Amino acid sequence: MTQTLTKYQQYETDYKSFDDSIGSGQPEWLRSMRLSAWSRFQELGFPTARRGNEPWKYTNVGPIADASLALATKPAQVTLDQIKATAPWDDSWLNMVFVDGHYVSEYSGSASGNVTVTSLAQAIANGDELVEQHLGQAPQFEEADGFVSLNTAFVRDGAVLHIKQGVTADKPVHLLFVSSGADEATVSHPRVLLVCEANSKATLIESFVGLDENVYFTNAITEISMASGAELQHYRLMQESEKSFHVGSARVQQESDSVYRSKVFERKVGLGRFDLYTNMDGEGSSCDLKGLYYTSGSQHVDNYININHQKPHSTSRLYYKGILDGKSRAVFGGTVYVQPGAIKTDSRQEDKNLVLSPDAEVDSKPALFIYADDVVCGHGATAGNIDQDTVFYMRSRGLDLEAASRQLIYGFADEIIEAVEDDGLRQYLEKLFLESLPSYKFEF
Amino acid sequence: MTEQRVISRATGVEDNEYKWGFDFDIESDKAPKGLSEDIVRLISQKKGEPEWMLEWRLKAYKYWLTLDNEEPKWANIDYPPIDFQDMYYYAAPKSSAEAPQSMDDVDPEIREAFNKLGIPLIEQQRLSGVAVDAVLDSASVATTYRKMLEEVGVIFCSVSEAVKTHPDLVKKYLGSVVPYTDNFFAALNAGVFSDGSFVYVPPGVRCPIELMTYFRINELNTGQFERTLIIADKGSYVSYLEGCTAPMRKTHQLHAAVVELIALDDAEIKYSTLQNWFPGDKEGNGGVYNFVTKRGAARGKNSKISWTQVETGSAITWKYPSVILQGDNSVGEFYSVALVNNYQQADTGTKMIHIGKNTKSTIIAKGISAGKAQNTYRGQVKIMPSATNARNFTQCDSLLIGDKCGAHTVPYIEVRNPTAQMAHEATTSKVDDSQLFYLQQRGIGLEDANYMIINGFCRGIFKELPFEFAAEASQLLRVNLEGTVG
């Protein structure tokens, strides 16, 4: 017991001083929500126990629990050029920049056009009703783990996006979370709320970028609510520092005929985890979730995806690909639930892995839980190396081993990258992955 | 009626639900209810075991105590807590206090009882050349075809007998694949195991007949904790069958068995199970809780272990027959059909642990859910860094009959070698309407059509079974599917 106390001492101190300063200015409903989240965190702690803990079976969050991380209370000084050098950037996007979890208005574009975007801190200060209606309302918050409670306990800044009924957003919204990697190891808890009204259409890009190779912890949550007929294209990039910790989750509520498309790119992080939960609570809703992770060095990346088919005629597609090198480890946990009555569900999930190094490890768990009979569901998982016969063919045509293998590995990754519709983002990703992907290093 | 006779174990008992549900009136010798160190000592004493065996049991029992009734919770099954003090841990037919020397010495009542089950213990009534070890509650009552096996050097007897006659082999191998610390139920079993079969096939011998153990829980409120140990020495081959039934009881019965297989260089073990414990009635009352640990070690080079199971019984099945592929070029196979109906729950699958080079494993699992039953495939494929060029292929298909049941697939794939190739595929759907329509349009009734499609779905597994078992499995499927459509 004493150990637990010392372990979370820093969080406790930070919570008290945060609640006394910033928190005291927040509305009462938010304070009480934060307080109950804080007690929930004290109860849960981080999910360090692995025995019988299926969601965290292959990921040890001990290093996060043991790290001494102070709350980032203000953004560090970084220049826009520094940011642009590392992060994806396109002037045609509506860019919102956050440094160490704090909104930086001078680097951010102003909300023009038909999309309403405000920083969460501003929205709270304005008494925006949308925040009170939607914050913490995303599905499965009750069963959430310590990370979610911790984020809610420290709710302060982030973004609020509102796409009105029938509106097609004229430009993608880019939420750029920069971690400065300042001298002190810090933690930030950005929170994003996205409300898509009926028949609206939008594109959201979330980038998490580290500027320096230091220890820090990003604990992010994105809550998305999609009314009937809404369409969303959601890109998410993890390009943090080599020593960073990143635990993120996106929780999506889907009403009837809504279409949620997600593409997740994970390139750099020390210990990274992304939970994606879509609750398909309307007839005819569909989701298409794609992902690409490339791990090297001693990275550890865990993708945990839950798709919950609640109503008839819903369709889900889950397609993740991974490339593993060095001593890295990747975890894929995909779970599809088909609830009683959700007939005519059509679901397919697939996880493919290229294991390139003898010291790398991939753990894949594509699970299906089906409680309705009139369904078509399937899943597949593969792990292996690039195909020897294909390499042989390419070499016989005059390519050397390195060029041939690079092409095959890049081709493997590009299947996901080329599905990116936004030109600027796709070019950035092609460069990011192409420049860093390995070639084949050994022969059998 | 003629149709029922095809089910070789059917017996003219007028009950078309569970045909093995009668109980025999055989006087038995029971230990007092509950579990304690004294009970463990008593079991050991009843069996006339040497000191080392008792010590092993006590170590296991003490380890089990440290687990503090914490049963494993990760499986997708739901049942009220088991009261481990509310059952008998030892029950043996009275007459077997002195082991029968020959078939003629077997108590006629027991012989009659097994005849009723369709397992004749008299060798002249050949069960197509299958040597049978019959286990009733906690004790082995008879083993047939002893002489023939002795001539080729195959040892086939009950474990309690092997402890006395072949202590070296038992000491060397017992607990070497499933140590008592393995899991909750394995620890319990190691402490109180009563009987089971022991097989040793000497080097270079191909066992001339199929070996079979027939398990029967007869007494009320008894747990059955058998332990089977099969050792195939270098270059040998053995095919082993296991069948099980229990009478219909309103209360649940616990069955926690451990099976250990060891295959040395170039040896092959084929292990087939027809599990037909009492599944409980239509309202989910009674039935056997089947918590079984089965594992094979393919220790030698080029060794092979193959599990085939047809699981139709038990209220709860918790069973993961696994293979540890230690030897280079070793092969592991798992073929399974799991059928659940009414309120049955099954969480079953396999583990393939690849350690040696060029190891290969194949997993084909077919799940069928009907009524309000839940069926889960849970399987692990682990490829260790040393397993260069390991291969795995996994296919899990599920069929759903009715909208109140569930079919779940939970594979765990862990790859730590870049030369490995593994692929997992799973599908879930209901019986295809257009196929049903076609068959009906040809004049085949809905129920028959359904059965034909499901039988075809399982065919690939049935063909892995020895001939008589295959016919029986397909009949078992039919009986258990009765009334699920329409």
Side-chain angles (χ1 to χ4, degrees):
Chain A
M1 213 43 212
T2 30
Q3 213 188 353
T4 340
L5 280 176
T6 43
K7 209 183 224 171
Y8 300 128
Q9 197 72 61
Q10 180 72 48
Y11 292 104
E12 186 146 12
T13 318
D14 283 339
Y15 178 77
K16 289 213 172 95
S17 66
F18 170 69
D19 195 52
D20 288 343
S21 57
I22 312 293
S24 60
Q26 291 182 336
E28 204 42 51
W29 67 267
L30 182 56
R31 274 194 94 174
S32 68
M33 178 191 262
R34 286 198 302 96
L35 182 63
S36 68
W38 174 248
S39 11
R40 184 94 177 112
F41 173 71
Q42 284 180 311
E43 197 184 302
L44 294 170
F46 289 126
T48 43
R50 309 272 292 285
R51 217 184 148 81
N53 187 356
E54 286 288 314
W56 295 90
K57 185 178 164 76
Y58 295 111
T59 296
N60 177 13
V61 294
I64 303 181
D66 295 339
S68 163
L69 301 156
L71 183 68
T73 47
K74 58 178 194 317
Q77 283 300 318
V78 290
T79 66
L80 193 55
D81 288 338
Q82 263 178 296
I83 295 171
K84 283 184 181 176
T86 333
W89 189 276
D90 195 316
D91 289 329
S92 72
W93 299 338
L94 173 53
N95 295 293
M96 286 187 86
V97 180
F98 299 81
V99 175
D100 300 328
H102 299 268
Y103 179 59
V104 182
S105 59
E106 57 264 40
Y107 296 159
S108 304
S110 57
S112 60
N114 53 12
V115 183
T116 316
V117 187
T118 21
S119 79
L120 180 62
Q122 189 62 48
I124 293 169
N126 294 350
D128 192 337
E129 279 180 10
L130 206 68
V131 181
E132 192 174 348
Q133 273 167 27
H134 290 277
L135 192 74
Q137 300 307 310
Q140 278 207 341
F141 253 72
E142 315 83 64
E143 300 135 64
D145 54 46
F147 290 109
V148 172
S149 324
L150 194 63
N151 179 292
T152 306
F154 284 96
V155 160
R156 175 185 181 177
D157 212 347
V160 181
L161 279 72
H162 188 192
I163 322 289
K164 295 227 168 63
Q165 190 169 346
V167 163
T168 299
D170 45 17
K171 50 178 144 180
V173 177
H174 179 215
L175 305 178
L176 174 53
F177 298 92
V178 176
S179 289
S180 62
D183 301 337
E184 196 191 8
T186 57
V187 52
S188 63
H189 305 279
R191 182 75 164 238
V192 175
L193 279 187
L194 169 54
V195 178
C196 305
E197 286 188 5
N199 303 316
S200 64
K201 222 173 157 176
T203 300
L204 170 67
I205 305 167
E206 285 184 289
S207 318
F208 294 86
V209 174
L211 294 187
D212 211 334
E213 294 306 323
N214 267 326
V215 178
Y216 61 86
F217 174 29
T218 309
N219 182 29
I221 294 180
T222 305
E223 292 181 68
I224 298 172
S225 155
M226 299 180 72
S228 64
E231 265 183 57
L232 178 69
Q233 179 72 254
H234 182 191
Y235 301 102
R236 195 178 196 277
L237 171 71
M238 218 189 267
Q239 172 69 3
E240 302 268 27
S241 88
E242 295 274 9
K243 290 185 195 152
S244 65
F245 305 120
H246 179 113
V247 177
S249 72
R251 285 152 193 271
V252 188
Q253 173 73 16
Q254 284 190 262
E255 300 302 329
S256 57
D257 301 311
S258 59
V259 181
Y260 174 68
R261 281 192 217 99
S262 154
K263 286 175 191 72
V264 174
F265 297 90
E266 290 151 345
R267 174 57 202 101
K268 211 162 84 175
V269 69
L271 169 55
R273 158 93 168 197
F274 178 51
D275 284 21
L276 178 54
Y277 179 77
T278 59
N279 188 35
M280 308 181 74
D281 202 9
E283 275 195 36
S285 56
S286 71
C287 69
D288 180 11
L289 317 177
K290 286 192 171 72
L292 176 65
Y293 45 92
Y294 164 38
T295 58
S296 59
S298 53
Q299 289 180 308
H300 181 114
V301 171
D302 183 347
N303 280 287
Y304 187 73
I305 300 135
N306 278 280
I307 299 173
N308 192 12
H309 291 268
Q310 303 243 45
K311 296 281 156 66
H313 298 279
S314 54
T315 304
S316 66
R317 291 287 178 271
L318 177 55
Y319 189 34
Y320 272 58
K321 286 181 120 176
I323 299 168
L324 290 89
D325 198 10
K327 290 189 168 123
S328 68
R329 187 166 176 189
V331 181
F332 171 84
T335 308
V336 173
Y337 295 89
V338 179
Q339 302 294 352
I343 52 163
K344 305 287 177 195
T345 290
D346 177 356
S347 169
R348 177 80 214 161
Q349 63 168 326
E350 187 106 39
D351 176 41
K352 292 186 177 175
N353 293 284
L354 264 188
V355 186
L356 298 175
S357 150
D359 300 315
E361 172 171 354
V362 62
D363 302 304
S364 181
K365 190 190 155 199
L368 285 171
F369 291 92
I370 296 167
Y371 297 91
D373 65 335
D374 193 1
V375 299
V376 180
C377 296
H379 67 195
T382 59
N385 215 312
I386 52 175
D387 183 41
Q388 300 299 300
D389 295 339
T390 318
V391 172
F392 178 80
Y393 174 81
M394 291 169 86
R395 290 176 80 177
S396 76
R397 299 278 142 168
L399 274 84
D400 63 10
L401 176 67
E402 197 188 326
S405 62
R406 273 188 79 94
Q407 273 203 23
L408 287 172
I409 294 165
Y410 185 73
F412 179 86
D414 199 46
E415 191 186 351
I416 305 293
I417 297 174
E418 71 178 8
V420 173
E421 282 162 29
D422 186 275
D423 292 336
L425 184 63
R426 191 178 57 248
Q427 280 155 18
Y428 170 85
L429 290 168
E430 273 169 357
K431 194 158 168 275
L432 182 71
F433 280 87
L434 189 59
E435 277 177 4
S436 62
L437 279 176
S439 61
Y440 208 37
K441 288 193 216 70
F442 56 95
E443 285 191 68
F444 299 105
Chain B
M1 241 9 242
T2 40
E3 203 149 74
Q4 287 194 355
R5 202 156 294 143
V6 186
I7 310 161
S8 61
R9 307 227 167 114
T11 53
V13 175
E14 288 300 325
D15 179 2
N16 60 357
E17 279 163 10
Y18 183 71
K19 297 187 175 57
W20 305 267
F22 50 87
D23 55 307
F24 336 120
D25 197 12
I26 293 172
E27 222 185 323
S28 79
D29 181 14
K30 270 193 282 194
K33 214 177 210 182
L35 182 56
S36 65
E37 197 176 312
D38 290 342
I39 293 286
V40 176
R41 284 179 188 279
L42 180 77
I43 293 170
S44 184
Q45 189 208 336
K46 289 249 181 210
K47 302 256 160 208
E49 285 174 353
E51 194 57 29
W52 60 268
M53 197 66 242
L54 174 65
E55 272 164 31
W56 194 74
R57 281 176 182 276
L58 287 173
K59 259 198 275 181
Y61 173 67
K62 279 174 188 150
Y63 173 75
W64 182 78
L65 282 181
T66 65
L67 299 175
D68 203 21
N69 280 350
E70 278 284 314
E71 296 154 49
K73 291 272 164 28
W74 39 262
N76 192 16
I77 49 178
D78 186 25
Y79 57 94
I82 299 171
D83 184 353
F84 291 94
Q85 296 304 335
D86 189 30
M87 64 175 99
Y88 296 101
Y89 284 84
Y90 182 80
K94 267 228 168 102
S95 61
S96 76
E98 277 174 27
Q101 295 306 305
S102 75
M103 272 311 133
D104 301 333
D105 294 346
V106 175
D107 190 309
E109 263 179 61
I110 293 173
R111 247 189 306 189
E112 187 47 41
F114 274 90
N115 275 338
K116 211 168 166 188
L117 284 167
I119 313 290
L121 296 179
I122 298 160
E123 291 178 23
Q124 287 78 1
Q125 286 180 0
R126 303 183 63 135
L127 185 74
S128 325
V130 180
V132 179
D133 181 24
V135 177
L136 188 62
D137 292 325
S138 304
S140 167
V141 292
T143 309
T144 60
Y145 289 101
R146 280 259 169 108
K147 270 220 176 75
M148 181 177 180
L149 293 170
E150 269 164 24
E151 274 164 23
V152 289
V154 174
I155 303 167
F156 179 42
C157 60
S158 70
V159 168
S160 18
E161 195 182 330
V163 169
K164 289 176 225 160
T165 53
H166 303 281
D168 295 346
L169 284 172
V170 176
K171 253 192 220 174
K172 187 169 174 193
Y173 291 108
L174 191 74
S176 73
V177 187
V178 181
Y180 62 81
T181 49
D182 191 77
N183 67 66
F184 182 85
F185 293 104
L188 178 66
N189 176 288
V192 303
F193 79 87
S194 37
D195 224 329
S197 296
F198 175 85
V199 177
Y200 173 78
V201 190
V205 171
R206 194 181 162 88
C207 188
I209 49 175
E210 313 253 5
L211 305 182
M212 171 169 175
T213 302
Y214 195 80
F215 295 99
R216 171 82 182 171
I217 302 179
N218 201 45
E219 273 302 316
L220 187 65
N221 291 336
T222 45
Q224 179 150 336
F225 306 93
E226 86 269 3
R227 201 167 177 111
T228 295
L229 178 60
I230 299 177
I231 304 140
D233 212 323
K234 289 178 183 165
S236 66
Y237 168 86
V238 61
S239 168
Y240 178 90
L241 324 171
E242 174 197 61
C244 10
T245 59
M248 288 162 80
R249 303 281 191 206
K250 285 282 172 216
T251 50
H252 295 288
Q253 286 167 298
L254 178 67
H255 173 247
V258 171
V259 174
E260 296 176 279
L261 310 182
I262 295 124
L264 301 181
D265 287 358
D266 306 302
E268 179 177 347
I269 301 176
K270 187 171 166 60
Y271 193 105
S272 314
T273 306
L274 263 192
Q275 187 263 99
N276 189 27
W277 296 115
F278 179 52
D281 67 15
K282 282 193 170 145
E283 276 72 49
N285 301 312
V288 172
Y289 287 169
N290 192 26
F291 290 90
V292 178
T293 308
K294 291 186 170 182
R295 194 173 301 151
R299 290 217 178 126
K301 284 185 184 128
N302 312 318
S303 57
K304 179 175 173 183
I305 289 179
S306 174
W307 297 99
T308 307
Q309 60 171 28
V310 176
E311 303 278 321
T312 58
S314 295
I316 286 175
T317 303
W318 180 99
K319 179 181 172 187
Y320 314 91
S322 313
V323 184
I324 301 168
L325 297 146
Q326 280 165 295
D328 289 350
N329 314 321
S330 58
V331 176
E333 291 173 343
F334 175 76
Y335 300 104
S336 165
V337 168
L339 168 68
V340 287
N341 197 354
N342 300 325
Y343 283 89
Q344 280 178 274
Q345 302 175 58
D347 194 300
T348 181
T350 183
K351 276 186 183 186
M352 293 288 173
I353 317 285
H354 291 255
I355 299 169
K357 291 188 177 67
N358 306 316
T359 45
K360 260 197 260 177
S361 63
T362 307
I363 300 170
I364 313 279
K366 306 274 180 183
I368 301 148
S369 317
K372 290 178 177 151
Q374 300 295 334
N375 198 347
T376 306
Y377 166 82
R378 189 181 298 276
Q380 183 183 41
V381 177
K382 193 171 195 161
I383 294 172
M384 302 301 278
S386 56
T388 307
N389 286 323
R391 297 283 179 274
N392 163 265
F393 175 74
T394 304
Q395 190 184 339
C396 309
D397 296 320
S398 303
L399 268 187
L400 292 148
I401 304 167
D403 57 359
K404 300 278 189 297
C405 54
H408 320 297
T409 316
V410 191
Y412 299 76
I413 298 151
E414 302 174 21
V415 180
R416 295 172 65 186
N417 187 305
T419 61
Q421 270 185 28
M422 67 81 34
H424 171 100
E425 271 292 320
T427 61
T428 304
S429 58
K430 61 174 193 162
V431 176
D432 189 16
D433 283 335
S434 55
Q435 288 177 1
L436 277 178
F437 177 76
Y438 176 81
L439 290 169
Q440 283 184 276
Q441 180 240 21
R442 298 275 141 171
I444 297 164
L446 181 62
E447 193 151 345
D448 283 338
N450 214 42
Y451 166 72
M452 277 172 86
I453 293 168
I454 293 166
N455 195 42
F457 176 73
C458 303
R459 209 181 139 85
I461 308 296
F462 290 164
K463 77 173 177 23
E464 297 295 329
L465 288 167
F467 182 70
E468 301 82 5
F469 255 40
E472 186 171 336
S474 124
Q475 284 302 323
L476 211 51
L477 194 70
R478 176 166 215 140
V479 170
N480 283 283
L481 282 170
E482 260 168 32
T484 53
V485 285

